[in-house]
Amino acid sequence: MSHIKRVHRKKVNRNVGDRPGVFVISADALKPVIHVYSYNEKEVVIDKGHDIKIVLAQLKKCKDHTHWIQIQGLGDANLINDIGEHLNINPLVLEDIVNTHQRPKFDEYDDYVFSVSRQLFISDGGELHNKQFSALVKSNLIISFEETYIKTFDVVKTRLQAGKGVIRAAGPGYLCYALSDVIIDNYFVLLAKIGDDLDDLEDRLYKHADKTIMYDAQQLKRSLIALRRVTWPERDKLNDILRTDNPYVTAEVKMYLRDAYDHCIQVMDMIENYKEISNSVIDLYLSMVSNRMNEIMKVLTIISAIFIPLTFVAGIYGMNFAKVDPVSNKAMPDNMPELYSPHGYYWALAGMSVIALIQVVIFWKKGWFTKL
Amino acid sequence: MSHIKRVHRKKVNRNVGDRPGVFVISADALKPVIHVYSYNEKEVVIDKGHDIKIVLAQLKKCKDHTHWIQIQGLGDANLINDIGEHLNINPLVLEDIVNTHQRPKFDEYDDYVFSVSRQLFISDGGELHNKQFSALVKSNLIISFEETYIKTFDVVKTRLQAGKGVIRAAGPGYLCYALSDVIIDNYFVLLAKIGDDLDDLEDRLYKHADKTIMYDAQQLKRSLIALRRVTWPERDKLNDILRTDNPYVTAEVKMYLRDAYDHCIQVMDMIENYKEISNSVIDLYLSMVSNRMNEIMKVLTIISAIFIPLTFVAGIYGMNFAKVDPVSNKAMPDNMPELYSPHGYYWALAGMSVIALIQVVIFWKKGWFTKL
Amino acid sequence: MSHIKRVHRKKVNRNVGDRPGVFVISADALKPVIHVYSYNEKEVVIDKGHDIKIVLAQLKKCKDHTHWIQIQGLGDANLINDIGEHLNINPLVLEDIVNTHQRPKFDEYDDYVFSVSRQLFISDGGELHNKQFSALVKSNLIISFEETYIKTFDVVKTRLQAGKGVIRAAGPGYLCYALSDVIIDNYFVLLAKIGDDLDDLEDRLYKHADKTIMYDAQQLKRSLIALRRVTWPERDKLNDILRTDNPYVTAEVKMYLRDAYDHCIQVMDMIENYKEISNSVIDLYLSMVSNRMNEIMKVLTIISAIFIPLTFVAGIYGMNFAKVDPVSNKAMPDNMPELYSPHGYYWALAGMSVIALIQVVIFWKKGWFTKL
Amino acid sequence: MSHIKRVHRKKVNRNVGDRPGVFVISADALKPVIHVYSYNEKEVVIDKGHDIKIVLAQLKKCKDHTHWIQIQGLGDANLINDIGEHLNINPLVLEDIVNTHQRPKFDEYDDYVFSVSRQLFISDGGELHNKQFSALVKSNLIISFEETYIKTFDVVKTRLQAGKGVIRAAGPGYLCYALSDVIIDNYFVLLAKIGDDLDDLEDRLYKHADKTIMYDAQQLKRSLIALRRVTWPERDKLNDILRTDNPYVTAEVKMYLRDAYDHCIQVMDMIENYKEISNSVIDLYLSMVSNRMNEIMKVLTIISAIFIPLTFVAGIYGMNFAKVDPVSNKAMPDNMPELYSPHGYYWALAGMSVIALIQVVIFWKKGWFTKL
Amino acid sequence: MSHIKRVHRKKVNRNVGDRPGVFVISADALKPVIHVYSYNEKEVVIDKGHDIKIVLAQLKKCKDHTHWIQIQGLGDANLINDIGEHLNINPLVLEDIVNTHQRPKFDEYDDYVFSVSRQLFISDGGELHNKQFSALVKSNLIISFEETYIKTFDVVKTRLQAGKGVIRAAGPGYLCYALSDVIIDNYFVLLAKIGDDLDDLEDRLYKHADKTIMYDAQQLKRSLIALRRVTWPERDKLNDILRTDNPYVTAEVKMYLRDAYDHCIQVMDMIENYKEISNSVIDLYLSMVSNRMNEIMKVLTIISAIFIPLTFVAGIYGMNFAKVDPVSNKAMPDNMPELYSPHGYYWALAGMSVIALIQVVIFWKKGWFTKL
């Protein structure tokens, strides 16, 4: 089945009272894989980095290119510390890169900016993952940090190599925008998935409602909540960037960011819409359960109400009041004379039929056979 | 039946990571149909355009008229690109024209403004459609883009030809207002439809409530939510226009826009009102279901409570405890002496009647025959 | 019965795409009745106007009086147009006077102000009506427009004739305040009515709850919502007036308006309070229905649980397993020996009593005879 | 029982269209009782006033004392008018003093300030009363107005006589603060009472839940709502005072008011907390009712499901299909041969036991004997 | 079991009308224990204080160290008063230290600042405690006040002694930040606990739902509410500090506070998330209860509907209508001829089987054996 199964909940790995700026690499963090893309309007040079120190040293020399260092996997404290030392990054920023529970935000520092987004995607197992994407942007350098090896940004790499559009000429700020834009585009993909699941849910509601609907609707609501928790601060972040005067955020980049901002609002709008629909599905399902109960009770009541009195009548004529005392043989003609009438049986059956008929008419008039 | 059936949900057709400003024509987009209305205070010239390039070239020469190019159907990428080139429109705007999921908005550019509204209408099949209307306004030119061929704006065309009022003299800004105003007027039409459906729903609630009420009320709520999702940003858009200093928005146009703004607020007000009423209908229906259940249970309980003990008594006297052992013929006078009393049967019936009567009185005192 | 029955819902009578400022007189609008009150500190002259043109012409000459033209009934397009022409009123204002769905608002124009309030009152049939009151205030003139002939403002007329207080000296702005104040005072009257209905509802809830409570509570909630929809924009309107520098709103009038503003807040406060109470009534009623159901089910269960097993026992001893084969006359002493024991009947009755007793004790221990 | 019984609801006694500033003494207003406290740093002179005119005349002479005139009971229009005339008070203020439905507010006038608070207390009968406290503060004079004779302010009088702290030296503004502070302190007392009632309610919920819980929880919610309706505007009022530059509100008084403001926020915080708890109690109770219903239904179903089939089997063997025709004496060996088998009875009982056992096992496996 | 049991609710111990700044030591307050840490970049001197007066006198001399006086337990009015006198602290601040119901806040005074936070922790008994932490910060001195002896701040002491990072050099403002940071870190610990409980709750919901789920979910919601009530004002406090120009809040401290602010937002974000999850658990549980009821009712109805008519048929043939009058021996062949047919019994059984089969088919078609 293609449904989103569960929102993966990450535990916060903080040690109480740790010095700020000190970070702990979590045990399940992946080993970093580094790719370097050095590009200008003329060429793109792709390299697979091994030692970040060497990479950074080389890049400093090569000032006519914009360099994108893509780091996937954060399981190496040395790498983070090396970047911090070489580029003179605030330890609190390094901590934020590694403690992957940051909300989307945009922090400006003297000669660099730091941006956090959240990547939402559904793993093969159907679980919804919420991973951190962060980026450091300096003069001609952008370093991006991801928690996993997923190939979200291949589309950007393709555009970079194709060299179409402004991407090769517009500097690291634009590239950071382009990466964020891919992340927001993926929210639409997730929304489309949720929309399909909702359609499916509604179809099941109308065709063969069972109790899994309730679970699935709640699951969808949680996915929507997860998405909303990511989109709201993302929008605030974009708003912060739009208002800043930072030199890395050129007027051109701002124009595109305004577009991304609109997309963000669209996502939020659709989230609210889908939440209303899931609530409506839940309400309809609960009302169905109530109606189902009513239907069941009506069947029980109709059958009981008709047959219990009849059974009582049959019970009456099943009583053993004796017309003749077996010991004294005295006749007692007052005891159950109906039993000894030649057509008593037919009269009894007729009486029962009348009782049953009256009840059927009453229930029919009450509309129990049709409505509600 | 005249009810609104379902809110038509459109899928977003975005490709993740597309260069901003690149647009994809969706497969089911209609072929464009172009009408051109060139008017000034003296005359209106109506033309059916074929090649947008020729149209735009001609119009540029004719500066003493205001030109309205109405484009219905967005299924031709060349057309959009030609407009973009000839009028020097930002690619992001072109993308917004084609990706018809924009929220109502108003964007100002150097020598043109761009405005998006949403058209809500009910198709013949009873489905609620939410289509995009966008317009580009330049010095003496307005180009309007619609997704469908519906004849919403025939009233404006009539006014244009009749030449009454300010419409012929007031420039493209006023015409853009006039088109938006028709769109908002149509919200009232939709609201009236929803109001009628609500009335109908309430009538059914009081006369013959069945479970379709729940579905229909939820359906109406969704229509209202769809309408609200359109009206709120429309109001924000109008507010943005009212605050701008753009030369296309003259003081006269602003005065009319203030009127449209009031209408927008009225629509929002009525939406909230109708939402409260649908909620109240749903609450009443659910309470009816509960009461119905209570009624059913009372019938079951009254009948069971009365007849089950009686049946038990009948069962007692249907037992075969023998007065005489059939083998030894020994008399056992202690076994069921009631059966051998001359008037035992009448006493038994009398006893049962008393039990039944007591229960009826108890239930009557509990008010089960009347209240709740 | 004195309950408010239903909130009268008016249909919007707009024609889509009508030129702004064009208005359509609705078919059920009343014929206008005109009263003119010309007053200054010395005298009050009352006149019943017939032709508005003559009235306006005369009044213009008489500059040392303040003139109040009270127009009740809006069913005459000429009257409205005449006023528009003679006083040079914006067509949009005239449209707002006739399209009686305006929210309370305050619009300032060059030499006049326009104010809209909503009159809420309960008709003799118990329906809640929501009618528009609008007023044009010019230098020494106020024209008030009402939809109906109700005599709401008789108290103001009395004060005007009595000449007590500032009313005769303080100009048209003060009179407009005085009329608005009466309208707000009537909200208190309506609230008092709703409060009484709520008291009545609560009494019924505790004394003889039936399903009409649900309807009536919903009805009251709708009245409260109608009142809230009127009070909120009324408060905003008053706030707008308090902040304006318009010469018709003197410092003295503002002092009184601040008082009206406080009243408005009080009304809103009481509305919220009454809404909470109606919700509480509804919640209590629904919990009562649940408890009633529980009670019914307990009765059913107790009686069934006690008698069904007993009936089974009776059924056992009503079986016809034969001690003697009627054909072969072979004795079968193992078949139902209890039936042929001399005191079998008493033992059976005793056994049944024990079973019944055990169950009664169990149910009593479960507290089914008393609690919940 | 110590529970708060009901929120006393006062009717508004306004006459529609009354001239602003005109007030009507309500019929059940108490006769005014006047106490005068004249104090400075050296002495406190206490007097019981009779004629307010004499009191005010005397006080004017005595300028080196601060005078607190405490008026309890507002049932004398002359008294209010005399104060208005002697101190030149705006009629709207006098109206606010007498119409005791004002929300807490702070109004500044040329040479005096006017402040309204609400006193909440529980009467001996357990009813929650919401009474108005208002105060006029002039240069060396404070006049306080209360609706009842309750001795709320005895603690202030004691402090005044003891002369400890700043109270004797800090002027009428400080005394007004001191009185307000007592009122807010009493909110804490009321909250403590509500907290105790909530504790009691929760205990009952867990020990012997019955339907009074629903009523009591709703009652507590209403008390909390009443308290919230009083605290919010009180906080706003304090905020207004803290922002004013009025000479009666010295920097010292503001420091204390900031403390009172904090208390007000604490009260609001606890109200929200208690509301959440009452909602949780209600939700738990409703879920208990549902579970109780489930339990009842399970008992009914288990007993019915076990015994109804058994009774049917017993009914089968209670049928009278004849082995021998009583008329023709023809043997019909196919009719109910079980009855004539030597051990038929034991087999029948065994069969029934097996049926019963199977059902018990099924229900036990479904967990009906334990869970949910 | 490891669940959080109950939110410990403290009573407010205020005496109505107490002079502001007067405080009452509550009876269960702990005896103060004093630790003094005097540190600069070179050394840390730890001392256990006995007489606060001596401690304060000594510290004043030693100006090249920063002094942290940690006071645990507030049960000594003299201690508080001594601090107030020696350091010239406002009595209102002293009152706030002792009345441990303050919301988190930050107050600035002439030569010191006062900060309040709330410590949330779970006691060994599983109860959630909400204790006050307050701190006075002066030039080279910080005095912290705690209600209990818990060793929350041992991590800070360790860092102080280790001397790593800025802690030894950055003054009392930084230490105050460090303590607050530990408190916020503990919110994460509590959240992790709540998260685990929620996971556990969800597991139980899916595996063996019983009614304790409802209680536990409500309990978790209350813990979350308690946490939210603490986090919101904490965030506002941090915001206040970030905006202040106070010399104790250096730019360096602000940088770290911004980090703490981010953590606070993260906590609030997770609280909202967990609240949604608990609501979803509650909704699922309630829907489960409804479904369980439906299932129970279906079992009852199926069994009743099948066997009640059959029992009636058996009852019919258990009637004693006589074929032969025992007294007159007259034959009455119309009475129950079925009983005297040779294969009547088999026909009867066959008929019953058909009835049962039809019903089973009907119920199976209705889907009662499988769905919903």
Side-chain angles (χ1 to χ4, degrees), chain D residues 152 155-156 159 164-166 174 177 181-182 185-186 188-189 192 194-196 198-199 202-203 205-206 255-256 259 262-263 265-266 269-270 272-274 276-281 283-284 286-288 290-291 293-295 297-298 300-301 304-306 308-309 311-312 315-327 330 332-338 359 363 366-368 371-372, chain E residues 6 9-12 14-21 90-92 95-96 99 101-103 105 107 109 207-211 214-216 218-219 221-222 225-226 228-229 233 275 282 285-286 288-290 292-297 299-301 303-304 307-308 310-321 323-324 331-332 336 338-349 352:
Chain D
T152 320
V155 285
V156 176
R159 271 166 61 199
K164 272 196 280 190
V166 294
Y174 182 87
Y177 149 73
D181 196 47
V182 169
D185 276 359
N186 273 305
F188 281 99
V189 173
I194 292 173
D196 288 345
L198 262 179
D199 281 346
E202 285 198 282
D203 282 351
L205 185 71
Y206 289 100
M255 187 184 72
Y256 290 111
D259 195 52
D262 278 359
H263 291 175
I265 301 263
Q266 278 179 43
D269 204 34
M270 288 170 80
E272 292 314 309
N273 192 23
Y274 284 179
E276 299 265 13
I277 295 177
S278 1
N279 283 334
S280 147
V281 164
D283 287 351
L284 276 173
L286 289 177
S287 126
M288 269 181 163
S290 274
N291 276 308
M293 177 77 98
N294 259 358
E295 203 194 332
M297 290 308 303
K298 270 198 304 190
L300 175 60
T301 300
S304 298
I306 290 176
I308 285 179
T311 304
F312 165 66
I316 289 278
Y317 293 117
M319 295 194 298
N320 295 323
F321 286 95
K323 195 171 188 180
V324 179
D325 189 313
V327 177
K330 195 180 79 177
M332 292 171 292
D334 282 351
N335 275 351
M336 310 194 79
E338 304 90 329
Q359 297 209 59
F363 293 144
K366 272 176 182 279
W368 286 19
K371 77 176 171 183
L372 204 66
Chain E
R6 196 162 176 168
R9 190 129 40 86
K10 251 190 310 195
K11 296 288 186 297
V12 176
R14 296 182 56 82
N15 294 336
V16 172
D18 264 359
R19 191 152 50 89
N90 189 314
L92 290 172
E95 190 189 354
D96 284 352
N99 282 341
H101 296 86
Q102 310 307 316
R103 303 172 88 224
K105 63 174 180 177
D107 288 341
Y109 292 87
K207 284 189 197 137
H208 45 275
D210 61 11
K211 62 188 160 191
M214 192 71 192
Y215 298 110
D216 291 349
Q218 292 284 0
Q219 222 54 58
K221 269 180 77 177
R222 289 201 198 166
I225 290 162
R228 192 179 55 180
R229 282 179 60 221
K275 272 196 72 180
I282 289 172
Y285 171 70
L286 290 177
M288 269 181 163
V289 170
S290 275
R292 181 65 58 115
M293 179 76 99
N294 259 356
E295 203 194 333
I296 292 170
M297 291 308 303
V299 169
L300 175 59
T301 301
I303 289 180
S304 299
F307 285 103
I308 285 179
L310 299 188
T311 304
F312 165 65
V313 172
I316 290 278
Y317 293 117
M319 295 194 298
N320 295 323
F321 286 94
K323 196 172 185 180
V324 179
M332 293 172 292
M336 311 194 81
E338 303 91 328
L339 295 183
Y340 307 104
S341 131
H343 300 290
Y345 180 51
Y346 292 132
W347 283 112
L349 290 184
M352 290 177 191

Side-chain angles (χ1 to χ4, degrees), chain A residues 199 202 293 297 320 334, chain B residues 9 222 293 297 317 343:
Chain A
D199 280 346
E202 285 197 284
M293 178 77 100
M297 291 307 303
N320 294 324
D334 282 352
Chain B
R9 189 128 42 85
R222 289 200 198 168
M293 178 77 100
M297 291 308 303
Y317 293 117
H343 301 289

